[in-house]
């Protein structure tokens, strides 16, 4: 049985308040948000929440200050602490203050939902069952804590309250449709239809009929008037997948619909007013298609109001194990045997290149849930399921070598005596390692800062600032012709 309650979310990042608040509301909770200790103090009595979710670093002080006093006044309250200061000291302080749970940022929404469920006494939330407070199967399906995915989450949060057109970019299998579903299900159009159409899967001569509908007798086989995807999505969201495969003639008509807000069916003469949000997606380089006269530049500008770039799975390896376990949990919820990963299997998953991205990982976990005879999936089982030429036999060696180099450097620095250190060890190490990482990453993508930022898991502005701080010129990092 689902247990719901009243939740107060305190964080000075509006994006976090919006996404967390909407996700918890969809689970049936009543949610209020605040951005400071002062607002928290004003709301704690009037809202009388069952669960308080609070950040540590707030604009007017330490979010942990006052928690003990709140719990003395409200002994039935459960406190969940969030913090980007992912240190042991923060976790200890949260525990000492009486927090029910401590989650380091970046956190996963499913994990937070389970923590809220536990705090409300729903029980057995760790099994991931929807009835125990986890996000539903058709809820927010995006999983990841990497900086690159956190940037995606922030962008999603910023577009929920408006109807701007969105262009989702990324390789096949990265989850572009999941992004569109998340924007729709958390946004202001969530009670209306979500309609998806894949341009690459429809014969060119039928695309206009599918999109705009057709009248009876418009062509052979048109026996009744049929509404197109625009009309089917009325009031909701229309997801145009693989937009780069759309024929030029259909692009022209699509642009006219986006400009006028009216659709005329194939064979019809009377326009129909439509109100839909457009989210398009592609794995192709649209600017290159524009140069080749295969995609309309004016349509590109109309669709690309807010771009969202999804990183390839190899660019966010820290999410691989989280995703793998998520898919194994989903498989168990669907009735397949419950499986776990051994440590050596987890290392092998991290080393793999994942050309098929998240979709490939999902398919692999489902296959192993069926075929593995053991409850624990070992590395040998994985080796039999992955292309051998893509899995290096010494997959753990590079990380081990880097770790040993850092260990020896730290010991040498500490050996000179702490009293003689004039600067932070952390800053000294970054000053040595980070410029090399930036240079090598930019060189690998011929100086392309957008691609380099994606590989590094940071946004482009952060990359530019770091380059400026270190005096690095990206133009000098292009590969010579």
């Amino acid at each position: 049985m689902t247990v719901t309650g009243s939740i107060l979310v305190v964080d000075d990042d509006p994006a976090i308040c919006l996404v967390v608040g909407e996700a918890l509301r969809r689970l049936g909770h009543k949610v209020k948000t605040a951005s400071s200790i002062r607002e928290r103090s004003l709301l704690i009595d009037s809202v009388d929440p069952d669960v308080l979710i609070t950040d540590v670093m707030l604009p007017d002080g330490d979010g942990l200050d006052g928690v003990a006093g709140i719990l003395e006044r409200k002994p039935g309250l459960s406190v969940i602490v969030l913090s980007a200061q992912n240190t042991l000291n923060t976790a200890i302080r949260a525990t000492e203050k009486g927090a029910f749970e401590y989650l380091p940022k970046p956190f996963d929404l499913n994990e937070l939902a389970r923590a809220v469920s536990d705090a409300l006494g729903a029980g057995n939330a760790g099994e991931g069952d929807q009835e125990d407070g986890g996000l539903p199967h058709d809820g927010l399906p995006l999983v990841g804590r990497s900086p690159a995915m956190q940037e995606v989450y922030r962008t999603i949060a910023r577009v929920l309250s408006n109807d701007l057109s969105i262009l989702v970019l990324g390789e096949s299998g990265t989850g572009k449709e999941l992004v569109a579903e998340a924007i729709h299900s958390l946004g202001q159009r969530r009670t209306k239809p979500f309609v998806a159409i894949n341009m690459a899967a429809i014969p060119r001569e039928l695309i206009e009929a599918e999109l705009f509908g057709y009248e009876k007798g418009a062509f052979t086989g048109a026996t009744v008037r049929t509404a197109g995807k625009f009309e089917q999505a009325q009031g909701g969201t229309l997801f145009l997948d693989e937009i780069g495969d759309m024929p030029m003639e259909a692009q022209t008509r699509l642009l006219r619909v986006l400009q006028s807000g009216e659709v005329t069916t194939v064979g019809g003469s009377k326009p129909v007013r439509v109100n839909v949000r457009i989210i398009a997606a592609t794995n192709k380089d649209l600017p290159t298609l524009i140069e080749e006269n295969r995609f309309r530049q004016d349509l590109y500008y109309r669709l690309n109001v807010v771009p969202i770039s999804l990183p390839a799975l190899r660019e966010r390896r820290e999410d691989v194990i989280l995703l793998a376990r998520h898919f194994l949990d989903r498989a168990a919820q669907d009735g397949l045997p419950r499986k776990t990963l051994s440590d050596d299997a987890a290392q092998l998953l991290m080393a793999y290149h994942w050309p098929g991205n998240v979709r490939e990982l999902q398919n692999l976990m489902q296959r192993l849930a069926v075929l593995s005879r053991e409850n624990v999936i070992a590395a040998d089982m994985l080796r039999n399921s992955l292309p051998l030429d893509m899995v290096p036999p010494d997959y753990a060696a590079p990380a081990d070598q880097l770790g040993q180099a850092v260990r020896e450097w730290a010991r040498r620095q500490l050996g000179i005596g702490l009293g003689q250190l004039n600067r932070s060890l952390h800053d000294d190490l970054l000053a040595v390692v980070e410029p090399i990482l930036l240079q090598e990453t930019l060189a690998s993508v011929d100086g392309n800062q957008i691609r380099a930022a994606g590989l590094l898991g940071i946004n482009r502005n952060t990359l530019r600032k770091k380059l400026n701080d270190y005096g690095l010129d990206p133009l000098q990092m292009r590969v010579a012709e």
Side-chain angles (χ1 to χ4, degrees):
M1 178 180 178
T2 302
V3 177
T4 59
S6 174
I7 318 293
L8 176 60
V9 180
V10 186
D11 199 297
D12 62 334
D13 186 337
I16 289 180
C17 284
L18 182 59
V19 171
V20 170
E22 287 299 320
L24 293 177
R25 287 187 188 99
R26 293 184 64 250
L27 294 172
H29 303 297
K30 295 180 179 179
V31 182
K32 291 288 186 180
T33 62
S35 60
S36 65
I37 294 174
R38 179 178 177 276
E39 287 185 44
R40 183 180 75 184
S41 299
L42 293 173
L43 289 174
I44 199 72
D45 289 316
S46 60
V47 173
D48 193 21
D50 302 304
V51 178
L52 168 65
I53 301 173
T54 184
D55 190 15
V56 174
M57 301 293 291
L58 293 170
D60 53 350
D62 188 327
L64 287 175
D65 291 344
V67 167
I70 292 173
L71 289 174
E72 285 182 8
R73 291 191 294 112
K74 298 182 176 296
L77 176 69
S78 295
V79 177
I80 298 173
V81 173
L82 309 176
S83 178
Q85 307 299 314
N86 301 339
T87 65
L88 178 60
N89 181 55
T90 305
I92 292 173
R93 287 185 61 222
T95 302
E96 290 176 342
K97 297 291 185 180
F100 175 83
E101 181 64 275
Y102 163 75
L103 296 177
K105 291 181 178 179
F107 56 88
D108 180 69
L109 277 176
N110 288 285
E111 187 177 10
L112 179 60
R114 285 191 288 270
V116 170
S117 177
D118 283 343
L120 292 170
N124 200 29
E127 294 298 316
D129 192 335
Q130 178 178 340
E131 290 299 311
D132 291 326
L135 289 179
H137 281 201
D138 60 351
L140 191 67
L142 297 170
V143 175
R145 298 181 183 176
S146 62
M149 286 305 295
Q150 294 300 313
E151 187 65 27
V152 170
Y153 298 158
R154 292 188 190 97
T155 305
I156 290 175
R158 295 185 185 110
V159 300
L160 294 181
S161 59
N162 57 63
D163 284 329
L164 297 176
S165 296
I166 297 166
L167 181 61
V168 188
L169 306 168
E171 296 179 6
S172 294
T174 49
K176 297 186 288 294
E177 185 165 355
L178 298 183
V179 169
E181 290 174 353
I183 293 171
H184 175 79
S185 63
L186 292 175
Q188 55 192 4
R189 293 177 178 263
R190 58 184 173 270
T191 60
K192 300 297 183 179
F194 174 85
V195 177
I197 180 172
N198 188 324
M199 300 299 172
I202 301 174
R204 297 171 64 91
E205 63 273 12
L206 295 180
I207 284 183
E208 292 192 31
E210 286 286 331
L211 274 176
F212 312 122
Y214 53 86
E215 297 295 325
K216 179 180 178 181
F219 50 82
T220 302
T223 56
V224 294
R225 184 193 186 279
T226 301
K229 300 300 183 184
F230 269 92
E231 286 187 72
Q232 294 172 29
Q234 186 71 267
T237 301
L238 178 59
F239 176 55
L240 305 174
D241 199 7
E242 304 298 351
I243 192 71
D245 292 293
M246 192 177 198
M248 285 293 286
E249 57 272 18
Q251 292 179 33
T252 301
R253 191 166 180 188
L254 173 61
L255 178 64
R256 191 179 307 122
V257 171
L258 297 181
Q259 291 172 335
S260 67
E262 294 181 337
V263 168
T264 302
T265 58
V266 176
S269 58
K270 184 177 181 181
V272 177
R273 192 76 183 169
V274 289
N275 173 21
V276 299
R277 180 180 201 157
I278 299 295
I279 302 178
T282 184
N283 60 2
K284 296 187 175 180
D285 186 347
L286 293 186
T288 297
L289 295 184
I290 291 171
E291 292 178 2
E292 298 172 351
N293 293 319
R294 295 165 56 196
F295 200 86
R296 292 186 60 116
Q297 187 175 49
D298 45 7
L299 178 59
Y300 173 70
Y301 290 139
R302 175 72 68 167
L303 297 174
N304 192 37
V305 178
V306 180
I308 298 179
S309 296
L310 279 179
L313 187 53
R314 62 184 174 276
E315 296 169 3
R316 55 178 184 119
R317 293 184 186 273
E318 59 265 61
D319 289 337
V320 170
I321 306 306
L322 184 68
L323 281 161
R325 289 173 176 155
H326 168 74
F327 292 135
L328 289 175
D329 286 343
R330 288 283 299 271
Q333 292 168 14
D334 292 337
L336 296 176
R338 180 168 292 280
K339 307 292 183 181
T340 58
L341 291 169
S342 67
D343 291 341
D344 57 350
Q347 287 187 349
L348 191 54
L349 288 177
M350 291 279 288
Y352 183 56
H353 191 60
W354 298 111
N357 290 299
V358 178
R359 185 183 296 124
E360 182 183 9
L361 176 60
Q362 180 179 13
N363 292 339
L364 175 62
M365 292 300 103
Q366 290 176 336
R367 184 162 68 249
L368 290 173
V370 174
L371 299 180
S372 177
R373 296 180 179 179
E374 305 295 331
N375 291 331
V376 178
I377 298 172
D380 288 343
M381 185 71 180
L382 279 179
R383 287 194 184 94
N384 294 331
S385 302
L386 295 173
L388 292 179
D389 59 342
M390 301 187 73
V391 182
D394 56 344
Y395 53 85
D400 290 345
Q401 292 168 6
L402 177 61
Q404 185 60 32
V406 172
R407 190 184 308 279
E408 292 174 359
W409 177 88
R411 286 172 176 170
R412 285 197 302 271
Q413 296 299 309
L414 292 169
I416 68 174
L418 294 177
Q420 300 180 45
L421 292 174
N422 297 320
R423 294 187 301 173
S424 159
L425 276 178
H426 178 266
D427 291 342
D428 282 352
L429 180 60
L430 279 185
V432 173
V433 175
E434 196 166 38
I436 297 173
L437 179 61
L438 297 176
Q439 289 172 317
E440 292 299 319
T441 304
L442 278 162
S444 73
V445 295
D446 196 23
N448 187 311
Q449 293 184 51
I450 296 177
R451 292 178 60 194
L455 289 170
L456 292 164
I458 59 178
N459 62 49
R460 191 178 181 185
N461 290 335
T462 300
L463 175 60
R464 284 176 173 171
K465 182 179 185 304
K466 289 180 180 293
L467 292 173
N468 184 64
D469 291 344
Y470 290 117
L472 300 175
D473 183 358
L475 295 179
Q476 297 179 358
M477 301 175 201
R478 294 184 181 275
V479 177
E481 297 292 339

